[in-house]
Amino acid sequence: MKHLKEELGSLEERGIIAQVEKSTDWISSMVVVRKPSGKLRICIDPRPLNKALKCQHFPLPTIDDVLPDLTKARVFTVCDVKDGFWHIRLSEESSYLTTFATPFGRYRWIRMPMGISPAPEVFQHRLTQALEGIPGIRIIADDILVCGEGDNDEAAEKDHDTKL
């Protein structure tokens, strides 16, 4: 319980969640997962909410979709967008839909939580918009692949470093 309270406090301090004092139409159960590092990951179980949410229907590319574009690439870097969904601020109305119960009161997500059905497509769309038109950059889920091309390793490395 001590670690849970600390993690909730940390998320609140960083503007990821906020306490809820008023009545809300929706409330989800909290799910706590212990990461390999020992740190807690707080999620919600929004199954009832997900039935009511509308999806954006933005295509989610797979590695098979990206591979044909990599035939000339020789040098790669994969950048993981840490806590990617949290880069997307929810509208106040949407935020209250993500209210969840804890032993320390109710909270809502200010930033997009994992588990809600539209999250992967919304995140993919935003990331694609942000990086659109940058050559040698490919997006796969929450990873950004930076590719260096060239006739030799030195040229490919220089191209890669410029793109990175």
Side-chain angles (χ1 to χ4, degrees):
M1 292 296 261
K2 176 185 170 209
H3 296 293
L4 175 59
K5 187 169 181 76
E6 288 172 359
E7 184 61 18
L8 289 168
S10 173
L11 291 171
E12 187 174 21
E13 187 178 298
R14 293 183 288 158
I16 307 296
I17 63 173
Q19 285 193 308
V20 175
E21 302 296 332
K22 67 180 192 175
S23 297
T24 59
D25 293 329
W26 293 89
I27 188 159
S28 295
S29 299
M30 176 182 62
V31 177
V32 180
V33 178
R34 187 171 299 277
K35 296 184 196 179
S37 67
K39 195 169 183 203
L40 298 181
R41 172 180 285 152
I42 297 174
C43 306
I44 57 174
D45 180 6
R47 283 180 282 183
L49 175 62
N50 279 340
K51 291 178 184 174
L53 294 175
K54 294 179 182 176
C55 288
Q56 189 171 350
H57 301 292
F58 189 81
L60 301 174
T62 65
I63 190 68
D64 292 333
D65 297 326
V66 174
L67 279 175
D69 299 334
L70 305 179
T71 56
K72 296 181 182 177
R74 297 172 75 118
V75 180
F76 303 91
T77 294
V78 177
C79 303
D80 180 28
V81 182
K82 182 171 175 7
D83 300 322
F85 292 173
W86 293 353
H87 292 266
I88 298 174
R89 180 177 287 279
L90 297 174
S91 69
E92 186 170 358
E93 180 184 6
S94 294
S95 178
Y96 280 102
L97 297 176
T98 66
T99 299
F100 62 100
T102 79
F104 309 105
R106 293 177 306 129
Y107 290 83
R108 64 187 169 104
W109 292 89
I110 303 295
R111 302 295 184 146
M112 189 167 59
M114 292 175 280
I116 58 172
S117 54
E121 293 163 329
V122 169
F123 178 72
Q124 185 76 34
H125 187 214
R126 294 273 182 95
L127 196 54
T128 299
Q129 285 178 321
L131 301 175
E132 190 171 39
I134 301 175
I137 305 293
R138 301 290 180 269
I139 303 163
I140 306 168
D142 65 344
D143 291 329
I144 300 168
L145 182 63
V146 181
C147 309
E149 299 176 355
D151 294 330
N152 57 49
D153 289 344
E154 185 178 330
E157 194 169 311
K158 184 176 180 183
D159 179 58
H160 166 270
D161 291 352
T162 300
K163 291 172 181 170
L164 187 60

